[in-house]
Every structure is written in C-alpha cells, then in structure tokens.
Amino acid sequence: GGSALLGFVAVMAPHFEHSCDHFITALDFFIIFTWILALLLGSMVSCFAIFHVWLMSHAFTTIEFCEKRRADDTKRNAQGYRLKELYARSPYSISWYHNVSHGLGP
C-alpha cells in the first residue's frame, strides 16, 4: 500500500514538475492534487506499517504499547519495581525472529 503510493509519486514526479511549471488546465490541478495526496498517504501508511512491524518484532500489541507509554514514573508495583522498568520489555518477547514468526504464522 504505502510502497505503491510512493512508487506512484516517484513515477509521476516529472509530470508533477511539468504541471507546476505550466499550470493551465484542470488536468494540471488534478495531477498536482493527486501527487500531493499520494505523497501524504504513502508516507502515513509507510510509517504505520513500520510502527506495526516494530511492535511485532518486540511482541507488543497496540494497546499494550499505548498503556505502557502512559505509565507514570513514580508508580511502583507490590515488589517495589517501577512500572516503567517492567514495561520496557514485553514478557512474551523471545527473539526478533521468533516474535515475527509467531506474529505472521508458521
């Protein structure tokens, strides 16, 4: 998804430059508009995918990441450990390869 949109941006770059230089028709407007839209969407989808690959490689879910990110530095559990220290690593994380293979399947 994201790579296809960014590929479209790369292929259409000469047409985008030409339309910016000679902005005459409605077609030029649509070329500029779609190029900018594809650039924005491609960047966002790529960042979204990279973030979820990182989550998968560290054995986190999206909800776990959000809850652990908002943990207070001053809070401690019953044994006296800070929650931030406990949340730094997932208890289900084995290794990068095994986390990805468990996430994607055998």
Side-chain angles (χ1 to χ4, degrees):
S3 60
L5 287 169
L6 294 177
F8 172 80
V9 167
V11 169
M12 291 297 290
H15 299 287
F16 173 75
E17 291 176 14
H18 181 271
S19 294
C20 287
D21 293 339
H22 309 290
F23 189 76
I24 300 169
T25 65
L27 180 61
D28 293 327
F29 169 76
F30 287 119
I31 288 173
I32 293 169
F33 178 74
T34 55
W35 191 86
I36 291 172
L37 187 64
L39 179 67
L40 292 173
L41 288 174
S43 300
M44 290 188 320
V45 170
S46 296
C47 290
F48 183 78
I50 290 168
F51 172 66
H52 279 84
V53 167
W54 180 86
L55 285 175
M56 181 175 50
S57 68
H58 288 84
F60 283 129
T61 64
T62 308
I63 299 219
E64 284 176 328
F65 176 79
C66 292
E67 288 176 351
K68 292 173 181 184
R69 185 182 63 166
R70 293 186 340 189
D72 192 9
D73 280 335
T74 60
K75 289 188 179 177
R76 296 181 179 271
N77 69 354
Q79 288 80 22
Y81 295 109
R82 288 187 338 187
L83 290 181
K84 278 276 191 192
E85 293 172 0
L86 294 174
Y87 288 163
R89 181 173 156 81
S90 174
Y92 305 108
S93 182
I94 304 167
S95 70
W96 184 87
Y97 175 77
H98 287 97
N99 292 341
V100 171
S101 66
H102 281 286
L104 297 178

